[in-house]
Amino acid sequence: MTPTEPILAGFYPDPSICRVGETYYLITSSFEYLPGIPIHTSTDLVEWHFVANALTRTGQIAEHGGYPSAGIFAPTIRHHAGRFWIIGTDVNGIPLGQGHFLIHATDAAGPWSDPVYISGAMGIDPDIAWDREGTAHVTWCSLNPDEPSILSAPVDTETGAFIAPPRQLWQGTGLSFPEGPHLYQIDDWWYLLLAEGGTERGHAVTIARSPSLDDPFDAAPSNPILSHRSLPHEVQNTGHADLVELPDGTWAAVHLGVRPRGQTPGFHVNGRESFVVGIDWVDGWPVPDETRFTVPPTDRSFTDRFDATALHGRWLGVGRFPETFARPAPEGGLVIDAESRPGRAMLAARATDAVWAASTRFDAATGVGRFLVRIDDTHWYGLTYDGSTVEATIAIGPIEHSVGQWSVSPGSVPTLLMRAKAPRPLPHGATSEPDLVELALESEGTEHSFGEFDGRYLSTEVAGGFTGRVFGVQALSGRIRVDEIRYAAETSL
């Protein structure tokens, strides 16, 4: 059995990677959450550190309604001529002719430039590659029915204009949804790496090559080169890979995968995660070695009392930048303001562990707040506090159901608790649910649990889409002041 630990756990899908010297840079999709496109770095491909988000202001991406699984799709990062470059798709901008965008920075930590839009390239999952003459080529999955499959065109990076008309490179091996292209010029060949089969259980990595961009691309004889479809592996949905050359001339690749749990069909709850594999070159084709890298378990616990001058980059808004509704409180902590402007005022972070606990304390003297874990607006479990009463609610599709209330003593502020717990095994040893989500509170030294609820309803298999669970605090009305939010990679805090 090959290793199962991701390099980025939780909702970090569609990884793209580049190397500068001894340092690797990795970005992932962020969909409806802002700031967008998280950037991580590593020197060994195993231990990764968050650096920054690339999209941090409205001049780069417009705020929107937080439509589920919209926003930023499958960006690519590259380094060329002293600059980092990111090309991505904002699907909210496609109707405006502003789908594909290109930004750059001299430092991966930013600041990143305002976008240049690639007009005339309707589609998703763009890639950028420079040939040996220095011409940039943008490659994408076309959504134009008159020009299907994978298209590529040379582009002026300063204006976004095509230098020549797009050409079709390859239509894949025949599996569904050929997408996620990455184009590389290696030795005497152009290689085109694709994701095929859809980003569910049939996901796979395929590759083709050609001596030039004007000649047909020939598929590798061993396609798909990476897939876990129909295999009894703890990691499924493997695909959407990106290659990188190491300083010693060897190669590796990053790819996405999920870790489903529970009975058929299996349920993944924390989203599509990022993994790493080694790459051998055999007869001119890349062959993944899934045992080359050992990724140790990582403690991702944190406590944030919001006493820094700026929010940590882990904190996200749903279709809004956190700075539009959250600000430091003069007496300490963070004010979340539902009345600052229309739209959702939720401060969220990714859930990253199979079992975990999170807690918060917030003052609701001038508003109503909710502590919740969510996949989207219609799939969430939460605790609402109005200063006197805590109410536990579960939302499953069109149904919102209160599962209990607890009155809080005057003058006290309860600690609100959520726990993602291992499910109870059935008599034959299997489990029905991926996990159980407990909603509870602690007040005046006493803990009260509202119950444990089936985690399947907060899974991608039930809710759909491309994201994973996030948790956090939302102001429903007025203003609340958050003292702290804690997260622990265990079920007790």
Side-chain angles (χ1 to χ4, degrees), residues 115-192:
V116 169
Y117 295 103
I118 313 298
S119 59
M122 186 176 74
I124 58 172
D125 301 1
D127 172 86
I128 188 166
W130 282 263
D131 62 27
R132 294 187 178 120
E133 287 70 46
T135 300
H137 298 265
V138 169
T139 306
W140 68 96
C141 171
S142 174
L143 298 180
N144 185 344
D146 297 327
E147 296 179 298
S149 199
I150 306 303
L151 302 184
S152 185
V155 168
D156 182 337
T157 58
E158 297 301 318
T159 66
F162 291 152
I163 298 172
R167 59 172 74 86
Q168 186 185 79
L169 297 186
W170 190 37
Q171 297 189 61
T173 64
L175 299 177
S176 62
F177 304 112
E179 58 191 7
H182 289 304
L183 188 65
Y184 316 88
Q185 191 173 22
I186 302 172
D187 297 330
D188 297 326
W189 297 96
W190 282 97
Y191 288 88
L192 180 61

Side-chain angles (χ1 to χ4, degrees), residues 191-252:
Y191 288 88
L192 180 61
L193 195 70
L194 294 188
E196 291 193 63
T199 193
E200 298 82 31
R201 295 297 189 268
H203 213 200
V205 179
T206 61
I207 195 166
R209 70 184 184 187
S210 173
S212 80
L213 295 179
D214 295 316
D215 292 311
F217 274 74
D218 296 322
S222 58
N223 276 328
I225 62 171
L226 176 64
S227 182
H228 287 175
R229 58 189 186 180
S230 301
L231 296 177
H233 198 286
E234 292 181 27
V235 179
Q236 291 292 321
N237 303 27
T238 51
H240 204 108
D242 195 10
L243 299 170
V244 65
E245 185 178 9
L246 281 59
D248 63 2
T250 59
W251 288 74

Side-chain angles (χ1 to χ4, degrees), residues 53-71:
N53 294 290
L55 302 178
T56 58
R57 58 187 186 274
T58 54
Q60 297 171 304
I61 181 173
E63 294 184 315
H64 49 81
Y67 309 114
S69 294

Side-chain angles (χ1 to χ4, degrees), residues 275-435:
F275 296 80
V276 64
V277 296
I279 293 291
D280 295 318
W281 288 88
V282 179
D283 298 327
W285 296 104
V287 177
D289 176 1
E290 296 189 64
T291 66
R292 184 168 304 170
F293 295 97
T294 300
V295 181
T298 301
D299 183 1
R300 292 173 282 268
S301 304
F302 68 85
T303 297
D304 200 331
R305 296 186 175 89
F306 305 104
D307 48 9
T309 56
L311 283 173
H312 190 281
R314 71 168 68 92
W315 294 113
L316 308 169
V318 187
R320 293 176 62 183
F321 288 102
E323 291 77 10
T324 66
F325 58 82
R327 63 181 185 273
E331 65 273 34
L334 190 74
V335 171
I336 301 180
D337 186 354
E339 313 298 337
S340 59
R341 43 176 279 194
R344 190 185 299 97
M346 178 181 177
L347 189 70
R350 294 167 174 87
T352 55
D353 295 278
V355 295
W356 53 269
S359 68
T360 190
R361 288 169 55 87
F362 60 81
D363 186 335
T366 58
V368 178
R370 177 179 290 150
F371 188 42
L372 71 158
V373 56
R374 78 188 294 270
I375 287 277
D376 58 31
D377 283 346
T378 58
H379 297 85
W380 55 268
Y381 300 163
L383 297 161
T384 303
Y385 175 50
D386 63 4
S388 62
T389 302
V390 177
E391 181 176 25
T393 306
I394 60 174
I396 303 170
I399 299 171
E400 288 189 17
H401 178 63
S402 174
V403 295
Q405 294 184 341
W406 185 270
S407 295
V408 178
S409 300
S412 66
V413 177
T415 297
L416 307 182
L417 298 161
M418 294 187 300
R419 299 183 179 99
K421 306 170 73 171
R424 292 179 291 269
L426 296 173
H428 54 75
T431 59
S432 296
E433 315 92 343
D435 60 359

